Amino acid sequence: MAEFIYPQANLIAGVDEVGRGPLVGAVVTAAVILDPAKPIAGLADSKKLSEKRRLALYDEIKANALAWSLGRAEPGEIDQLNILHATMLAMQRAVAGLAIVPDYVLIDGNRCPALPMPSMAVVKGDSLVAEISAASIIAKVTRDREMAELDLQFPEYGFAQHKGYPTALHMEKLALHGVTPHHRRSFAPVRNALLDAEVQALR
């Protein structure tokens, strides 16, 4: 990891999100306060880790962190607020859910939600800040598992493969099978699929 200069604080929480881009499911966030006495080796951006490594780190973070928490915003909230505001809300929920109140929060990306303690946005934070890396791993494993569960409910969509992202496969299945209750209706491909279905129904 490149050298990141930490703010002067005792309890630092890292926050990251997974699922801003998908057409289906919640945006999932995590907040993690690591224990300096129990360092976790190999923390990195969750997207750069193998699934096996990610799952091992997920268990290690949950076992060794001082505190961790999940936050989320459901598809209905995303449609109502827009994805940016829904992500900020989910981040607020993750921080609020921590059993220990952090005195500083580091957030992956270029903007911070309104929080009751000082915070700083860190661009590429999931590669620079161990706490944010840990949060990205917790959030990604959680959301991937939710997509696997959704795949069992709607096996014809391939959710376990594409995780809800707008891949060619997902777009094809959306056109073929229509929109599930878990799709984000404000996202253009889903909106278009709904309009197409309406047009078909009128014929």
Side-chain angles (χ1 to χ4, degrees):
M1 286 192 181
E3 210 46 49
F4 171 75
I5 310 298
Y6 276 87
Q8 287 297 309
N10 296 318
L11 288 167
I12 293 176
V15 176
D16 200 4
E17 53 70 32
V18 173
R20 279 177 73 157
L23 307 177
V24 74
V27 59
V28 176
T29 57
V32 178
I33 302 174
L34 293 174
D35 185 347
K38 297 180 187 168
I40 298 169
L43 287 175
D45 174 4
S46 63
K47 295 185 283 296
K48 297 186 179 134
L49 298 166
S50 69
E51 188 174 7
K52 187 181 171 197
R53 186 81 194 103
R54 202 160 49 228
L55 291 171
L57 283 167
Y58 172 85
D59 291 336
E60 205 180 330
I61 294 160
K62 285 174 77 167
N64 292 327
L66 287 175
W68 64 273
S69 166
L70 288 161
R72 56 195 297 117
E74 301 300 339
E77 294 178 302
I78 293 167
D79 291 340
Q80 198 184 346
L81 297 169
N82 82 32
I83 186 63
L84 175 68
H85 289 102
T87 302
M88 294 292 129
L89 177 62
M91 286 180 168
Q92 289 169 328
R93 288 171 174 165
V95 173
L98 287 166
I100 300 170
V101 178
D103 47 24
Y104 208 100
V105 179
L106 297 172
I107 293 182
D108 184 55
N110 58 6
R111 61 178 73 204
C112 295
L115 293 168
M117 67 286 291
S119 63
M120 177 166 67
V122 184
V123 174
K124 297 203 170 30
D126 45 15
S127 307
L128 297 170
V129 179
E131 288 81 356
I132 296 177
S133 302
S136 81
I137 291 163
I138 295 283
K140 179 151 176 56
V141 171
T142 301
R143 194 176 190 284
D144 284 357
R145 285 178 176 173
E146 289 181 13
M147 286 296 111
E149 282 169 28
L150 204 59
D151 192 69
L152 298 175
Q153 287 179 53
F154 301 93
E156 65 277 18
Y157 286 86
F159 290 134
Q161 277 170 275
H162 55 64
K163 310 287 193 286
Y165 284 89
T167 61
L169 174 70
H170 191 180
M171 302 309 291
E172 185 190 317
K173 300 296 186 187
L174 198 56
L176 202 59
H177 304 294
V179 176
T180 72
H182 304 276
H183 276 92
R184 302 172 181 177
R185 281 154 169 67
S186 57
F187 280 42
V190 180
R191 206 166 57 229
N192 294 341
L194 286 165
L195 289 171
D196 290 346
E198 274 177 41
V199 171
Q200 292 297 328
L202 292 172
R203 283 186 179 158

